[in-house]
Amino acid sequence: MRFEPAASQGRERAPAALKLAVAGVLLFLHLPFAIIVLYAFTTDDASYRFPPPGLTLDWLQVAWNRPDVWQALGLSLRVAAAATAAALVLGTLAAAAVHKSRFFGREALSFLLILPIALPGIVTGIALRSAMSLASIPFSFWTVVVGHATFCVVVVYNNVLARLRRTPASLAEASMDLGATPQQTFRRILLPHLATALVAGGMLAFALSFDEIIVTTFTAGQQQTLPIWIYAQLSKPRQRPVTNVVAVFVVLTTAVPILLAHLLTRDKGGGIAGER
Amino acid sequence: MRSTRRSPGRAAATFLFLRPRLALGLLLAPPLAWLGAVYLGSLASLVVQSFFHLDGFTGQVIRKFTFATWRDLMTPANFDIALRTATMAAAVTVAAALLAFPLAYYMARYASPAVKAVLMVGVLLPLWSSYLVRVYSWKLILAKEGVFAWFVGQAGLTWLLERVLALPVIGGPSLSVSSLGTFLAFLYVWLPYMILPIEAALQRVPRSLVEASADLGARPAQTFRRVTLPLALPGVIAGSIFTFSLTLGDFVVPSVLGNSSLFIGQAVLAHQGTAGNIPLAAAFTVIPMAIMGAYLLFARRLGAFDAL
């Protein structure tokens, strides 16, 4: 329940100092992105000299022709796709269960779902690593996926649960009362209502997985996802702008799903009656 | 009569509708099995591993119950690592709360819906976008020949930067290899995690309370301190869970921007990697787990989970 001013009699004006602080924090949050982009075009390939001695587009081509970049990208995409699929199924089921009924341990389940992202990343990583070592499971594509899916579930869960809470149960009941089969009710009523939440949750899970490095380090062995590739490049002195080009690419690839997810799940109309 | 039509789907739906416990069980089984077996199982194996021991001669892990690994953990050097990491986590958390509050306050109190939507994207984008790239950007910024040093030079303040870098604990040869640089990068990457919960908490402060406080004669500063701030506290605590926990368990920031002194994450990584000493790495990880466990209980008492 939120209290809006009875009549919008004009908003108060923020103090100038507050506005200044806001601008400062926003700059702090966003300027580093501009720096990364700038350095993807520098002609200086061995140091971080500022201002760059010259600008060039050559690094785009060099990065394009590097097979190791493509390999890492391919692995990252496949891992993210598999982890997202698993998270979608598990997160939706958990959200449905928690929404549907109050059961013993309901709070504990929410807590358990949050734990993989609330506990420090190395905990999840080393826990999986130690379980693999105890069970003598070798590193593989699937060990990476299992790690990613574990912390992606909560993102889908949150999105779907929030949507379920805004979807009246009477809709599905009415559909069934009017003679629709469960499949029809699911396809025509439930799915359209959940669709954007699922897409948004899925995209956030994808972005989360695509970008993850801490847990991955423990579960990947010699395999290189894109973040691990970048991390390995940071200690190499040559061709630094190639890393910058890949970094810009990663930022752009994750920004698109994030923006879309945000657009799909925000409250339309800022809380019109009946929305909450 | 359509309503009496029987289909296998409808029969199954009726069957489940009449047995809500079974339906619930079917919904819960897969996520519970996954989190129970994969996640909790792994955490349990972590604790078990910490009671095994690495044979120094053969390099093999001996799977027999022993406290030897825990004894290895209790050295002054390891204590330093834990203390350094916890101190950094605390410093980052406090600084993040200080930086996040004005923005969150502006978003909740003053911003028009359109401006607020833009600000929201402005916070969410860095939160979700590549963490590694954002850490890396600070290497570019803080390098000796980098952006920050250039601006400092233009402002004629190089002497000040040099004096700061000469300080014993926080300084170093350049900002990109100092505790100060590590701190800045941590603050930068985790700041959005602090802004969102504070904003959510402030959003829930009823305007009528603020007005009532003013009507009853409180000055704006008093209202802020006695009404707004206490109500925003659960949001701050919720945000601090993230900033604290994320800092405790990170090895990327200190290895990209730090000096040679280790953080918990780096120690864990080193022990499980080249040394193959998974038991010691596991025992090491129990420290941040214990710290976070205590912190979560504390946060729960302060009502932080309502603000997540």
Side-chain angles (χ1 to χ4, degrees), chain A:
Chain A
M1 198 69 95
R2 288 176 194 179
F3 294 81
E4 302 289 335
S8 48
Q9 69 275 73
R11 298 186 161 265
E12 301 163 79
R13 295 184 60 84
L18 182 61
K19 282 185 174 165
L20 208 64
V22 167
V25 171
L26 282 177
L27 273 184
F28 178 63
L29 281 176
H30 290 274
L31 266 188
F33 288 106
I35 304 291
I36 284 275
V37 173
L38 174 69
Y39 273 88
F41 301 104
T42 178
T43 47
D44 180 0
D45 77 337
S47 81
Y48 302 121
R49 202 150 24 118
F50 186 88
L55 298 174
T56 171
L57 290 172
D58 291 352
W59 301 113
L60 296 179
Q61 199 189 355
V62 177
W64 185 271
N65 290 329
R66 287 273 292 266
D68 50 339
V69 175
W70 287 104
Q71 260 170 20
L73 174 64
L75 180 64
S76 273
L77 289 176
R78 278 181 289 134
V79 166
T84 304
L88 275 174
V89 173
L90 297 171
T92 309
L93 288 175
V98 165
H99 177 66
K100 201 169 118 70
S101 37
R102 323 201 137 263
F103 52 88
F104 179 73
R106 186 163 169 261
E107 296 290 309
L109 178 66
S110 313
F111 192 69
L112 185 59
L113 283 161
I114 289 186
L115 215 50
I117 56 167
L119 277 182
I122 46 160
V123 173
T124 309
I126 189 70
L128 289 168
R129 173 81 181 86
S130 102
M132 286 163 60
S133 130
L134 274 187
S136 309
I137 303 168
F139 294 113
S140 73
F141 171 74
W142 293 107
T143 54
V144 183
V145 171
V146 165
H148 283 202
T150 303
F151 59 75
C152 284
V153 174
V154 65
V155 187
V156 178
Y157 167 83
N158 279 341
N159 269 288
V160 174
L161 188 61
R163 182 61 53 85
L164 282 174
R165 287 194 172 137
R166 293 198 312 210
T167 307
S170 51
L171 278 184
E173 285 164 12
S175 159
M176 296 291 276
D177 286 349
L178 290 169
T181 64
Q183 295 94 316
Q184 283 173 324
T185 305
F186 180 76
R187 214 177 57 236
R188 301 245 177 106
I189 306 293
L190 213 50
L191 210 51
H193 253 93
L194 292 183
T196 52
L198 286 171
V199 173
M203 281 194 291
L204 289 179
F206 193 94
L208 201 59
S209 159
F210 189 73
D211 177 44
E212 214 286 334
I213 177 160
I214 306 248
V215 176
T216 319
T217 308
F218 291 92
T219 54
Q222 299 299 314
Q223 306 168 83
Q224 281 201 330
T225 60
L226 208 51
I228 292 192
W229 180 88
I230 296 178
Y231 188 60
Q233 295 302 308
L234 296 189
S235 51
K236 294 179 185 166
R238 300 299 298 169
Q239 292 207 327
R240 279 181 172 156
V242 174
T243 317
N244 302 343
V245 170
V246 176
V248 171
F249 170 78
V250 170
V251 168
L252 292 179
T253 349
T254 42
V256 173
I258 295 157
L259 282 177
L260 284 176
H262 178 66
L263 290 178
L264 286 174
T265 50
R266 68 175 176 180
D267 288 344
K268 292 186 188 74
I272 297 164
E275 269 279 332
R276 290 206 180 84

Side-chain angles (χ1 to χ4, degrees), chain B residues 35-78:
Chain B
L35 284 167
V38 175
Y39 191 62
L40 290 184
S42 298
L43 285 181
S45 89
L46 186 71
V47 177
V48 172
Q49 280 273 10
S50 72
F51 291 103
F52 293 164
H53 191 60
L54 184 83
D55 187 313
F57 293 106
T58 61
Q60 295 290 312
V61 172
I62 319 253
R63 296 188 179 183
K64 251 191 334 209
F65 183 86
T66 165
F67 284 106
T69 299
W70 282 97
R71 266 201 307 277
D72 291 349
L73 185 67
M74 305 296 170
T75 64
N78 287 343

Side-chain angles (χ1 to χ4, degrees), chain B residues 141-210:
Chain B
I141 294 169
L142 297 179
K144 212 178 184 64
E145 71 278 15
V147 183
F148 186 75
W150 185 80
F151 277 107
V152 169
Q154 293 295 308
L157 292 172
T158 307
W159 60 272
L160 185 64
L161 180 62
E162 273 165 9
R163 195 164 293 177
V164 170
L165 285 175
L167 292 174
V169 177
I170 60 172
S174 95
L175 274 177
S176 62
V177 276
S178 67
S179 301
L180 202 55
T182 316
F183 168 78
L184 280 173
F186 269 134
L187 178 60
Y188 172 68
V189 287
W190 307 143
L191 182 58
Y193 290 89
M194 184 62 98
I195 297 173
L196 291 179
I198 296 185
E199 198 275 333
L202 284 171
Q203 186 74 62
R204 268 178 286 193
V205 176
R207 199 168 284 252
S208 52
L209 273 188
V210 177

